Amino acid sequence: MASAPHGDTAETGADAKRRPRAPITDAEIRAEFAHHDAAVARVNNGTFGCCPASVLAARSRWQRLFLSQPDAFYFHSLQPGLAASRAAVAAAVGAGGASEVSLVDNATTAAAIVMQHVAWSFAEGRFAPGDAVLMLHYTYSSVKNSIHAYAARAGATVVEVPLPFPVSSPAAVVAEFRAALSLARDAGRRRVRLAVIDHITSMPSVVIPVRELVAICREEGVDKVFVDAAHAIGQVRIDVRDIGADFYASNLHKWFFCPSAVAFLHIRKDEPIASELHHPVVSSEYGNGLPMESAWIGVRDYSAQLVVPDAVDFMSRFEGGIEGISRRNHEKVIEMGRMLAEAWGTFLGSPPEMCGSMVMIGLPGCLGIGSDDDGMRLRDMLRNEFKVEVPIFHNSRSAEGEEMAKDANGDEVTGYVRISHQVYNVREEYEVLRDAVNKLVLDGFSCSKLRPSGKVLSH
């Protein structure tokens, strides 16, 4: 059985982990990420993640192994390599073994696998027309689209949980979830077949009390729970057995140092419908279980899925491994978020305990962010004129019965930046963002100046 290629010799991920390693230095971190554009203040790890040079080198070795002898690669190297990656994921998330883990391209693919089964359940009469699928208002757009494309089209009623933002505590999320679940059940006349719960919402970024929400679903008779944890692995500690969802998916290319695109879908070992879930791309492995179906969807580049053990090896060079990295990232992103909030006269969008390695900070209200388009145009401006890469969220919602939050000058805060912190980030990058926004305020800038001529916002 062939093992992972490592230079001129074969070495497994376990062998690499046992090698004595000195703790990584600042200079080595800079070298690992020297391929980043040094001219850009990159405070947006959350969208595309990052991949160190050592893991990229491992990926290149897998690619060369395939190109050198594709038949031998397919028959002798691919499946053992993918099995090693599944085992590494299982160990990282507390799964009951590699058989519970399927590797897929991204959390969007994982969602499609689950929603496809929901659609079949309606089509085959196991679900009744009108049965409900519950999701959070801030569920990621592609997952929302998957719910509508598969479940709603097949006959499901889709109910959204209207989360408040800014959010003051986990209790506020729990209260909204209970209320929406009651609505979805429609006084007991309707079955809730699936609840889709984010572990960490994307925009705005908030860590959701997922374990508590899953427990509520169990109490209230929800058939199945799918946790969309696209941002979670590498940001927060994960124990899938403790969380207790039926399906749990997370991207490995955002905060777990893998290249794009690789994610995992965890399905509980005792889940009776596991054998009924199938990859949307039907291949010769159809019917051999989702882990195998996902491990062969035709000829493609599998190298991103093969380097998970190398990413684990990279993280082991840091004190405390991935948990130490995520703890330090959390501390730093809160520190930088508070620095920006103080400089702009605003506030964080959620308390620190509801943040991982990302945090939302209110932008000065005078910038006049009145729509998603305004936010995107301002983001482009920060990238092009100030060399800062940061997502911007337009908030049109306030907590029920409350006014929109205001900044130190009394202006309504309608826009937020989402900053990230990863091991390559330095304080100076956040200062570039701070100074760019302060300059815009000083210059009297408003997003209205970026709108197409004659564009008027409707209310």
Side-chain angles (χ1 to χ4, degrees), residues 29 32 61 144 158 185 190 217 317 356 396 398:
I29 294 173
E32 287 279 11
R61 291 193 291 271
K144 277 189 174 184
V158 180
R185 294 176 65 210
R190 189 161 53 201
C217 288
R317 299 166 65 187
S396 60
S398 59

Side-chain angles (χ1 to χ4, degrees), residues 432-443:
V432 172
L433 172 59
R434 176 197 65 193
D435 296 344
V437 171
N438 281 343
K439 184 178 188 305
L440 292 175
V441 172
L442 186 63
D443 291 346

Side-chain angles (χ1 to χ4, degrees), residues 135-138 160-165 172 176-177 179-180 397 400:
M135 66 179 177
L136 307 187
H137 173 73
Y138 293 121
E160 291 192 15
V161 180
L163 299 182
F165 188 80
E176 291 287 358
F177 188 83
R397 303 168 62 87
E400 187 174 351

Side-chain angles (χ1 to χ4, degrees), residues 45 97 125 174 201 252 276 306 310 319 351 386 414 425 437:
N45 191 81
V174 171
T201 54
L252 298 167
E276 300 176 17
L306 289 163
D310 299 277
E319 181 184 356
F386 296 95
T414 57
N425 284 122
V437 171

